[in-house]
Amino acid sequence: MIRVALIGSTGYTALEVARLLLAHEEAELTVATSRADEGKPLSEIHPSLAGRCDIALQPFDPAAIAEQADVAMCCLPHGASAESVRDLATAGVRVIDFSADFRLSSVPLYEQWYGVTHPWPERVGNVVYGMPEFFGDEIAKADVVANPGCYPTSAIMPLAPLVRAGMIQTDDIIIDSKSGVSGAGRSPKLGTLYCETNESISAYAIASHRHGPEMQDLIHRIAGKPVDVLFTPHLTPMDRGILSTMYARPVLQDNDTVQSVTSRLMDELRKTYRDQPFIHVVDHLPATKHVVMTNHVQMTVRVSGPNDQPGRVIIVCAIDNLSKGASGAAIQNMNVMFGIDQMMGL
Amino acid sequence: MIRVALIGSTGYTALEVARLLLAHEEAELTVATSRADEGKPLSEIHPSLAGRCDIALQPFDPAAIAEQADVAMCCLPHGASAESVRDLATAGVRVIDFSADFRLSSVPLYEQWYGVTHPWPERVGNVVYGMPEFFGDEIAKADVVANPGCYPTSAIMPLAPLVRAGMIQTDDIIIDSKSGVSGAGRSPKLGTLYCETNESISAYAIASHRHGPEMQDLIHRIAGKPVDVLFTPHLTPMDRGILSTMYARPVLQDNDTVQSVTSRLMDELRKTYRDQPFIHVVDHLPATKHVVMTNHVQMTVRVSGPNDQPGRVIIVCAIDNLSKGASGAAIQNMNVMFGIDQMMGL
Amino acid sequence: MIRVALIGSTGYTALEVARLLLAHEEAELTVATSRADEGKPLSEIHPSLAGRCDIALQPFDPAAIAEQADVAMCCLPHGASAESVRDLATAGVRVIDFSADFRLSSVPLYEQWYGVTHPWPERVGNVVYGMPEFFGDEIAKADVVANPGCYPTSAIMPLAPLVRAGMIQTDDIIIDSKSGVSGAGRSPKLGTLYCETNESISAYAIASHRHGPEMQDLIHRIAGKPVDVLFTPHLTPMDRGILSTMYARPVLQDNDTVQSVTSRLMDELRKTYRDQPFIHVVDHLPATKHVVMTNHVQMTVRVSGPNDQPGRVIIVCAIDNLSKGASGAAIQNMNVMFGIDQMMGL
Amino acid sequence: MIRVALIGSTGYTALEVARLLLAHEEAELTVATSRADEGKPLSEIHPSLAGRCDIALQPFDPAAIAEQADVAMCCLPHGASAESVRDLATAGVRVIDFSADFRLSSVPLYEQWYGVTHPWPERVGNVVYGMPEFFGDEIAKADVVANPGCYPTSAIMPLAPLVRAGMIQTDDIIIDSKSGVSGAGRSPKLGTLYCETNESISAYAIASHRHGPEMQDLIHRIAGKPVDVLFTPHLTPMDRGILSTMYARPVLQDNDTVQSVTSRLMDELRKTYRDQPFIHVVDHLPATKHVVMTNHVQMTVRVSGPNDQPGRVIIVCAIDNLSKGASGAAIQNMNVMFGIDQMMGL
């Protein structure tokens, strides 16, 4: 039995970890920490766990956690997270970090976008990105895994293989993403009140969201080529799910048609993900409803016409921001780290 | 032109007042106050007003308001509201008070349920309840009007006439109400975050909500008889609207059938509201969607069977909690106070 | 491996069965039938299954099914369902019937409420009601199980034990239920279009819904006493979930207080469900969000006051209409029928 | 009093016309037609009108309508609409056509995209496009007005002035639009059932939606230059509203920065719409919630960086698809046609 510690237990990703572990046969939640709610049962913070997971919240004590857990899921805000990750790793606990603290390749890039001094700079650039579809071998051996961002997951998974294969141009990629509200967290704020977001869609952080550089950095790492993406996130009136609609220019071959380009790109994606149980290259247009409450990903490709003059590539990718975009990916990473079936519990 | 001051401008009822006044031909918003956001344009607080109502927020100054406005809509929390109402009335401004401070008949009842010492006790029991369908003459002359609570509006309008007519028993009335989330206000709280309330319905304040005594008090005042109601509110995943489903026992006559009881009660309601333009006694089962964004009320009556053994009366009433349940009623009251068509702007 | 056939595959309960079986270690979907979509992959009807469950839809052939499956989940409309159940049972397939065809105790009661001649009357009254919390032993041996209705599940589970214990009066029970829209099925109808039901709540089938007699019949069967319930369902703007708010009168004892009555009823429920892993008697007020996407049930009791004069019992119970109210209960029943852990896959 | 006929009364745009006319002081609904529901009161089809607009539905009879109405709002599907428009215009009734039948400049373009033979080809290209912000003078004199499409309104209003001013490149415009479900109409279809669209977002008709050519055609007509747009609509879980996020390349000047480009474009839009009461060029990022249930439009401009290397122009525009995108625009057109204040009733 893999013993799991939850670090920072009050948010939606923490609840999702707890929920998924309830159905996992080879892992169990043994520790849950919270600064503000120490002593309370986890189910008091998350009433859906009543009678199902009532363990008491503990303070954060790396040594104590090292005795009770094999792996920690760290659901803290950036900055604070890196400190806890360092302390846990030092105490010998393997860590899956939900924050962005170890996702980017370099400290300057991190500090430019996150505006804080990194507490453990020597590990930056030296932590595997927790996307088993590309980094499975490294994850299996890792002491620390940087769990991917939600938006980046929806963009990297279809774009990286196509960039790597030289099938789309690297300097003209637009990513228009629509996310459910859970992505904004569980802290009370005016902007995420029901009556502010319900029955409404809006763009935010245009050309300035921190997930933009994460997408660029990871596509570069996976595909071996720098890319330039313009990223616009939108707040969508639903609990969960991300739909990313992406616009790129195809690298054309002689006599290409809309059909030939579409087939070539779909084939490349199908080939890439042939053995990946969570990634589905589909003919229909994915909706977030098709993937929420699962760790699965659906993606497809369209090309604008007219048929003998292929225009732009349009790629649509749907994920669940809390599952494959956060806690589901973390469980998948844990499975890989401990050498069990990556689908277990998912 | 009636000049209107908005006291406390940041909440949903305040926005609804501003919105309704934009379409009102004989009233205009001349003052809007806010402690926290003084100096900002109202449209910065409520972006839907951008370019439509950009007046600057002022501090609360009764003398200054008296020069700029004929009537004040007071959208403050209970307790604080009574103080402002007193100061405005003293300064010669007519006031429509959205709080519960002057709705109940007695100071002890108020202090029992609201847990505060009333700041202006001598006016309690001496302020008209702003329901023009029953108190139109008094409203026309009033210096202060107690604007009705949202849940009470949905319950009093169908129940009071039937109690008054002796058609339902007074000691066994159950009111099961379902409200949209805007009723919970615009202050950031965990319980009204999108992801907490969306896709979920729950009961709250069972047998302990402050609107229970308001219903009893007002039905008593209108019908001339004390009643006993059991009131359960529910938080429903929608912005606006209240549906109240009410259960009572009919006062039976010889040879009554389901049909005869139903007709008698429907007829009584139709007779009561024949000349009331906002109240509709309908044959279909009302949905909140039929009335939201209007000041209209839909109600109907059913009786359980078998046909020759009429059982219980079930009454369904739908209103918009922000309109007829708050700001629409306030505009209607204002219209009556200033002697213009009560439907103007609604 | 338990081999499962899905009879009638296009609706929401069928999808939920397929979804749950994907996570079940000892059962698998081997057959899915559909009259209208024969030959198509199941995932074409339900795109969320793409790449996860692509078996082709078959016509309904009891003999063929008997070779491919150990148990059939019959998701057909009433009337049609009884015929298929008869044919499958005759062919030797154990059946879990989602329709109401075998839930009621007598043919006349069935024919009065469902308006059709029962196709297999000899089995009516002779089929176990699929609620393992009360009928586990019979379910274990059953060839046919009548899977409970969604609303009845939410009402029977808290009410039956209290009626059986003589703690609430049997002649004055009101059940005000609020259901998500999935309960209305997947056939295109005006009434369940997004723009008709979104942002709206409404009552329907007041005092005339078929689940009323089912509640009465089953509480009678479980508690050994006839009861009289008044049932009002409401259509609520959410996908899944039922919240039932129930009003009853307590059977009082000397010196009872609000507190003593509340404790006595909560204790009785806790005792009843002590060993039932899905049923949680909780202190907080349940919301449907706490139970959707699970087979769990949350219930609680409140009593109206004043404290020395206990008034009415208010019971709140939350379930997921598609899970514990349909497909989850079916999986639980299957587990019991085949002697495996009743929580498996749930 | 302008007498208005509603042709085709059962859909959402028809309801919106009826709703808006109830608040219009100088126009009234005198005729409403319906093939399927002849004789029924309009309020039976639309229960929100109960007691407010109960006129009986008539068959379509142009001569009779000519006696009862000054203007007809034609809410029929394309193809059918052109026939009715022709018959009404011939009978002397001025017509506002909600369909696409007279929006495009040429018959071949229409027949290519709509796949039907145009019933009144001689008027195609000879009917004013009902956007008073650009074609007010022609609308004032028109016998027939082609009411704009919903998506085109959200795209043309910000793009046409910028193209006309030569500020954005014409060959690289991407329009990613998100619409509420009411845009899909009121006919029962699987795809618009509540449980199919709720809690989900999806793209549809990628690079093949009929509103793409309408956008190109109209921007060309207004700006005097052909443009190439790539249009992707999305179905968003909300009743009403369209948010269009548009991506274009700026035409740069020497020493341009992100800031200088942003200012130049915002200024051009502000200048264009200075005297247009419904169009608001705002600093904040518009949400559909800011404009639904109004005829107002909010738009803004952002430019991606770094500051000394301005990248792409991102434009966000929010409208209500049923109001400014359909019925509100129709009322505005009617006001202009009859020489009254264009804001009346809006």
Side-chain angles (χ1 to χ4, degrees):
Chain A
M1 223 39 172
I2 308 165
R3 298 168 306 155
V4 184
L6 195 49
I7 312 302
S9 303
T10 54
Y12 294 126
T13 55
L15 170 59
E16 186 71 2
V17 168
R19 188 181 79 78
L20 289 168
L21 287 175
L22 285 171
H24 199 291
E25 304 149 57
E26 305 205 3
E28 65 181 332
L29 190 66
T30 55
V31 180
T33 77
S34 166
R35 199 166 309 169
D37 295 295
E38 197 189 322
K40 291 187 190 167
L42 181 59
S43 57
E44 189 176 322
I45 308 303
H46 299 296
S48 61
L49 300 176
R52 304 169 63 199
C53 183
D54 302 306
I55 62 173
L57 292 164
Q58 305 180 14
F60 177 71
D61 175 345
I65 293 167
E67 288 183 19
Q68 296 166 280
D70 304 303
V71 62
M73 305 273 187
C74 198
C75 303
L76 298 173
H78 66 84
S81 194
E83 290 184 45
S84 297
V85 169
R86 183 195 56 207
D87 295 348
L88 288 162
T90 305
V93 184
R94 297 174 86 179
V95 189
I96 298 167
D97 181 21
F98 282 56
S99 86
D101 285 352
F102 299 98
R103 291 184 199 149
L104 300 183
S105 297
S106 82
V107 172
L109 186 62
Y110 175 83
E111 297 190 344
Q112 172 193 347
W113 282 91
Y114 286 86
V116 293
T117 303
H118 200 290
W120 200 16
E122 47 275 44
R123 281 304 299 269
V124 173
N126 192 16
V127 167
V128 64
Y129 194 73
M131 199 171 264
E133 289 78 4
F134 294 108
F135 304 106
D137 293 347
E138 291 170 69
I139 292 166
K141 299 173 293 194
D143 63 332
V144 178
V145 171
N147 211 48
C150 52
Y151 287 121
T153 297
S154 72
I156 294 164
M157 303 222 60
L159 289 175
L162 300 179
V163 170
R164 184 173 58 188
M167 290 182 176
I168 56 174
Q169 299 180 22
T170 56
D171 60 347
D172 186 3
I173 299 174
I174 290 172
I175 299 168
D176 189 290
S177 296
K178 298 90 179 167
S179 173
V181 183
S182 58
R186 205 183 178 214
S187 302
K189 278 177 298 218
L190 178 65
T192 48
L193 287 186
Y194 185 85
C195 293
E196 300 291 314
T197 49
N198 184 43
E199 291 291 291
S200 192
I201 187 165
S202 57
Y204 67 99
I206 293 181
S208 59
H209 193 283
R210 290 156 169 171
H211 283 179
E214 183 178 333
M215 294 170 182
Q216 294 194 158
D217 195 359
L218 265 294
I219 295 175
H220 187 172
R221 232 189 284 172
I222 294 169
K225 293 175 215 177
V227 295
D228 191 42
V229 311
L230 173 58
F231 170 54
T232 307
H234 294 77
L235 194 63
T236 310
M238 55 192 194
D239 276 1
R240 303 164 71 121
I242 287 178
L243 190 86
S244 287
T245 311
M246 291 161 271
Y247 302 90
R249 293 199 182 276
V251 173
L252 291 179
Q253 303 178 355
D254 285 352
N255 302 319
D256 252 338
T257 61
V258 163
Q259 240 172 336
S260 69
V261 177
T262 309
S263 298
R264 189 162 66 242
L265 273 62
M266 289 283 276
D267 287 350
E268 182 63 28
L269 292 174
R270 287 209 168 95
K271 202 183 66 189
T272 303
Y273 294 117
R274 196 174 22 206
D275 301 324
Q276 297 298 343
F278 293 116
I279 316 301
H280 309 283
V281 183
V282 298
D283 290 323
H284 66 264
L285 287 171
T288 56
K289 186 152 225 159
H290 301 153
V291 296
V292 289
M293 297 298 286
T294 81
N295 199 50
H296 292 269
V297 177
Q298 290 193 356
M299 62 179 71
T300 198
V301 175
R302 295 290 185 277
V303 175
S304 69
N307 192 44
D308 57 351
Q309 250 179 285
R312 241 180 234 268
V313 174
I314 302 103
I315 304 165
V316 180
C317 182
I319 67 163
D320 181 338
N321 62 306
L322 285 184
S323 189
K324 184 61 175 167
S327 309
I331 298 289
Q332 186 186 357
N333 281 318
M334 179 191 76
N335 291 343
V336 173
M337 289 165 84
F338 289 84
I340 59 180
D341 176 5
Q342 67 172 325
M343 295 193 82
M344 193 165 285
L346 291 171
Chain B
M1 225 34 172
I2 307 165
R3 298 168 306 155
V4 184
L6 195 48
I7 312 302
S9 303
T10 55
Y12 294 126
T13 54
L15 170 58
E16 185 71 1
V17 167
R19 188 182 77 80
L20 289 168
L21 287 175
L22 285 172
H24 198 292
E25 305 149 57
E26 305 206 2
E28 65 180 331
L29 190 66
T30 55
V31 180
T33 77
S34 166
R35 200 167 309 169
D37 296 296
E38 195 189 324
K40 289 186 190 166
L42 181 59
S43 57
E44 189 176 321
I45 308 303
H46 299 296
S48 62
L49 300 177
R52 303 170 62 200
C53 183
D54 301 307
I55 61 172
L57 292 164
Q58 304 179 14
F60 178 70
D61 175 344
I65 293 168
E67 288 183 18
Q68 297 166 279
D70 303 302
V71 62
M73 306 273 187
C74 197
C75 303
L76 298 173
H78 66 84
S81 194
E83 289 183 46
S84 297
V85 169
R86 182 196 57 207
D87 296 347
L88 288 161
T90 306
V93 185
R94 298 174 86 178
V95 189
I96 298 167
D97 181 20
F98 282 56
S99 85
D101 286 350
F102 300 97
R103 293 185 199 148
L104 300 183
S105 296
S106 82
V107 171
L109 185 63
Y110 174 83
E111 298 191 344
Q112 171 194 348
W113 282 91
Y114 287 86
V116 293
T117 304
H118 200 290
W120 199 17
E122 48 274 45
R123 280 305 299 269
V124 173
N126 192 17
V127 167
V128 64
Y129 194 73
M131 199 171 264
E133 289 78 4
F134 293 109
F135 304 105
D137 293 347
E138 290 170 69
I139 292 166
K141 298 172 295 192
D143 63 333
V144 178
V145 171
N147 210 48
C150 52
Y151 287 121
T153 298
S154 72
I156 294 164
M157 303 221 61
L159 289 174
L162 299 179
V163 170
R164 184 172 58 188
M167 291 182 176
I168 56 175
Q169 299 179 22
T170 57
D171 59 348
D172 186 3
I173 298 174
I174 290 173
I175 299 168
D176 188 292
S177 296
K178 298 91 179 167
S179 173
V181 183
S182 58
R186 205 183 178 212
S187 302
K189 278 177 298 219
L190 179 64
T192 48
L193 286 187
Y194 185 85
C195 292
E196 301 290 314
T197 49
N198 185 42
E199 290 292 291
S200 192
I201 186 165
S202 57
Y204 67 99
I206 293 181
S208 60
H209 193 283
R210 289 156 170 170
H211 283 178
E214 183 177 333
M215 293 170 183
Q216 294 194 158
D217 194 0
L218 264 294
I219 296 175
H220 187 170
R221 231 188 285 172
I222 294 169
K225 293 176 214 175
V227 295
D228 191 42
V229 311
L230 173 58
F231 169 53
T232 307
H234 294 77
L235 195 62
T236 310
M238 54 192 194
D239 276 0
R240 304 165 72 121
I242 287 178
L243 189 85
S244 288
T245 312
M246 291 161 272
Y247 302 91
R249 292 199 183 276
V251 173
L252 291 178
Q253 303 178 356
D254 286 354
N255 303 317
D256 252 337
T257 61
V258 162
Q259 240 173 337
S260 69
V261 177
T262 309
S263 297
R264 189 162 66 242
L265 273 62
M266 289 283 275
D267 287 351
E268 182 64 27
L269 291 173
R270 287 208 168 96
K271 202 183 67 191
T272 304
Y273 294 117
R274 197 173 22 206
D275 301 325
Q276 297 298 344
F278 293 116
I279 317 301
H280 308 283
V281 183
V282 298
D283 291 321
H284 65 264
L285 286 170
T288 56
K289 187 151 225 159
H290 301 152
V291 296
V292 288
M293 298 298 286
T294 80
N295 198 50
H296 293 268
V297 177
Q298 290 193 357
M299 61 179 73
T300 198
V301 175
R302 295 290 184 277
V303 176
S304 69
N307 192 44
D308 57 351
Q309 251 179 284
R312 241 180 234 269
V313 174
I314 302 102
I315 304 165
V316 180
C317 181
I319 68 163
D320 181 337
N321 62 306
L322 285 185
S323 188
K324 184 61 176 168
S327 309
I331 298 289
Q332 187 186 357
N333 281 317
M334 179 190 76
N335 291 343
V336 173
M337 289 165 84
F338 289 83
I340 59 180
D341 176 4
Q342 67 173 323
M343 296 194 82
M344 192 165 284
L346 291 171
Chain C
M1 225 34 173
I2 308 164
R3 298 168 307 157
V4 184
L6 194 49
I7 313 302
S9 303
T10 54
Y12 294 126
T13 54
L15 170 59
E16 185 71 2
V17 167
R19 187 181 79 80
L20 289 168
L21 287 174
L22 285 171
H24 199 291
E25 305 149 57
E26 305 206 4
E28 64 181 331
L29 190 66
T30 55
V31 180
T33 77
S34 166
R35 199 167 309 168
D37 296 295
E38 197 188 322
K40 290 187 190 167
L42 181 58
S43 57
E44 190 176 321
I45 308 303
H46 299 296
S48 61
L49 300 177
R52 303 170 63 199
C53 183
D54 302 307
I55 61 173
L57 292 164
Q58 304 180 15
F60 177 70
D61 175 345
I65 293 167
E67 289 184 16
Q68 296 166 280
D70 304 303
V71 61
M73 306 272 187
C74 198
C75 304
L76 298 173
H78 66 84
S81 194
E83 289 184 47
S84 297
V85 170
R86 183 195 57 208
D87 296 348
L88 288 161
T90 305
V93 184
R94 297 174 86 178
V95 189
I96 298 168
D97 180 20
F98 282 55
S99 86
D101 285 352
F102 298 99
R103 292 184 199 149
L104 301 182
S105 297
S106 82
V107 171
L109 186 63
Y110 174 83
E111 298 190 344
Q112 172 194 344
W113 282 92
Y114 286 86
V116 293
T117 304
H118 200 291
W120 200 16
E122 48 273 46
R123 279 305 298 271
V124 173
N126 192 17
V127 168
V128 64
Y129 194 73
M131 199 171 265
E133 289 78 6
F134 294 108
F135 304 106
D137 293 348
E138 290 171 68
I139 292 166
K141 298 172 294 193
D143 64 332
V144 178
V145 171
N147 210 49
C150 52
Y151 288 121
T153 297
S154 72
I156 294 163
M157 303 222 60
L159 289 174
L162 300 179
V163 170
R164 184 173 58 189
M167 291 183 177
I168 55 174
Q169 298 180 24
T170 57
D171 60 347
D172 186 3
I173 298 174
I174 290 172
I175 299 168
D176 189 291
S177 296
K178 298 90 179 167
S179 173
V181 183
S182 58
R186 204 181 179 214
S187 302
K189 278 177 299 220
L190 178 64
T192 48
L193 286 187
Y194 184 86
C195 293
E196 300 291 314
T197 50
N198 184 43
E199 289 292 292
S200 191
I201 187 165
S202 57
Y204 67 100
I206 293 181
S208 60
H209 193 283
R210 289 156 170 169
H211 282 178
E214 184 178 332
M215 293 170 183
Q216 293 193 158
D217 195 358
L218 265 294
I219 295 175
H220 187 171
R221 235 189 280 172
I222 294 168
K225 293 176 215 177
V227 295
D228 191 41
V229 312
L230 173 58
F231 170 54
T232 307
H234 294 77
L235 195 62
T236 311
M238 55 193 194
D239 276 1
R240 303 165 72 122
I242 287 177
L243 190 85
S244 287
T245 310
M246 291 161 272
Y247 302 90
R249 292 199 182 275
V251 173
L252 291 179
Q253 302 178 354
D254 284 353
N255 302 319
D256 253 338
T257 60
V258 163
Q259 241 173 333
S260 68
V261 177
T262 308
S263 298
R264 188 161 66 242
L265 274 62
M266 288 283 277
D267 287 350
E268 182 63 26
L269 291 173
R270 287 210 168 94
K271 203 183 65 188
T272 303
Y273 294 116
R274 196 172 23 205
D275 301 324
Q276 296 299 342
F278 292 117
I279 317 300
H280 308 282
V281 183
V282 298
D283 290 322
H284 65 264
L285 286 171
T288 55
K289 186 151 228 161
H290 302 154
V291 297
V292 289
M293 298 300 285
T294 81
N295 199 49
H296 293 268
V297 176
Q298 291 193 356
M299 61 179 71
T300 198
V301 174
R302 295 288 184 279
V303 175
S304 68
N307 191 43
D308 58 350
Q309 249 178 285
R312 242 180 234 267
V313 174
I314 302 102
I315 303 166
V316 180
C317 181
I319 68 163
D320 181 339
N321 62 307
L322 285 184
S323 188
K324 184 60 176 169
S327 309
I331 299 288
Q332 186 185 358
N333 281 319
M334 179 191 76
N335 291 344
V336 173
M337 289 166 84
F338 288 84
I340 59 180
D341 176 5
Q342 67 173 322
M343 294 194 83
M344 192 164 284
L346 290 171
Chain D
M1 226 35 173
I2 307 164
R3 298 168 306 155
V4 184
L6 195 49
I7 311 304
S9 303
T10 54
Y12 293 126
T13 53
L15 170 58
E16 185 71 2
V17 167
R19 188 181 78 80
L20 289 167
L21 287 175
L22 284 171
H24 198 293
E25 304 148 59
E26 305 205 3
E28 65 181 330
L29 190 65
T30 55
V31 179
T33 77
S34 165
R35 200 167 309 168
D37 295 294
E38 195 188 324
K40 290 186 189 167
L42 181 59
S43 57
E44 189 175 321
I45 308 303
H46 299 296
S48 61
L49 300 177
R52 303 170 62 199
C53 183
D54 303 307
I55 61 173
L57 292 164
Q58 305 180 15
F60 177 71
D61 175 344
I65 293 167
E67 287 184 17
Q68 296 166 278
D70 304 302
V71 62
M73 305 271 186
C74 197
C75 303
L76 298 173
H78 65 85
S81 194
E83 289 184 47
S84 297
V85 170
R86 182 196 57 208
D87 296 348
L88 288 161
T90 305
V93 184
R94 298 174 86 177
V95 189
I96 298 167
D97 181 20
F98 282 55
S99 85
D101 285 353
F102 299 99
R103 292 185 199 148
L104 300 182
S105 296
S106 81
V107 171
L109 186 63
Y110 175 84
E111 297 189 344
Q112 172 194 347
W113 282 91
Y114 287 85
V116 294
T117 304
H118 200 291
W120 200 17
E122 48 275 43
R123 278 306 298 271
V124 174
N126 192 17
V127 167
V128 64
Y129 193 73
M131 198 171 266
E133 289 79 6
F134 293 109
F135 303 106
D137 293 347
E138 290 171 68
I139 293 167
K141 299 171 294 192
D143 64 332
V144 178
V145 170
N147 211 48
C150 51
Y151 288 121
T153 297
S154 72
I156 294 163
M157 303 220 62
L159 290 174
L162 299 179
V163 169
R164 185 173 58 189
M167 291 182 176
I168 55 175
Q169 298 179 23
T170 57
D171 59 347
D172 187 2
I173 298 174
I174 290 172
I175 300 168
D176 189 291
S177 296
K178 298 89 179 169
S179 173
V181 183
S182 58
R186 204 182 178 214
S187 302
K189 278 176 298 217
L190 178 63
T192 48
L193 286 187
Y194 184 85
C195 293
E196 301 290 315
T197 50
N198 186 42
E199 290 291 291
S200 192
I201 186 165
S202 58
Y204 67 99
I206 293 181
S208 60
H209 193 283
R210 289 156 170 168
H211 283 178
E214 184 178 333
M215 293 169 182
Q216 294 193 157
D217 194 358
L218 265 293
I219 295 175
H220 187 170
R221 231 188 284 171
I222 294 169
K225 295 176 213 175
V227 295
D228 191 41
V229 311
L230 173 59
F231 170 53
T232 307
H234 294 77
L235 195 63
T236 310
M238 55 192 194
D239 276 0
R240 304 165 72 122
I242 287 178
L243 189 86
S244 288
T245 311
M246 290 160 272
Y247 302 91
R249 294 200 181 274
V251 174
L252 291 179
Q253 303 178 355
D254 286 352
N255 302 319
D256 253 337
T257 60
V258 163
Q259 241 173 335
S260 69
V261 177
T262 309
S263 298
R264 188 162 67 242
L265 274 61
M266 289 283 277
D267 287 350
E268 182 64 27
L269 291 173
R270 287 209 168 97
K271 202 182 67 189
T272 303
Y273 294 117
R274 196 171 24 204
D275 301 325
Q276 297 299 343
F278 293 116
I279 317 300
H280 309 283
V281 183
V282 298
D283 291 321
H284 65 264
L285 287 172
T288 56
K289 188 151 225 159
H290 301 153
V291 296
V292 289
M293 299 297 287
T294 81
N295 199 50
H296 292 268
V297 177
Q298 291 192 358
M299 61 178 72
T300 197
V301 175
R302 295 291 184 275
V303 176
S304 68
N307 192 43
D308 57 351
Q309 251 178 287
R312 241 181 235 269
V313 174
I314 303 102
I315 304 165
V316 180
C317 181
I319 68 163
D320 181 338
N321 62 306
L322 284 184
S323 188
K324 184 61 176 170
S327 309
I331 299 288
Q332 185 185 359
N333 281 318
M334 178 191 77
N335 291 342
V336 173
M337 289 164 85
F338 288 84
I340 59 180
D341 176 5
Q342 67 173 321
M343 296 194 82
M344 192 164 283
L346 291 171

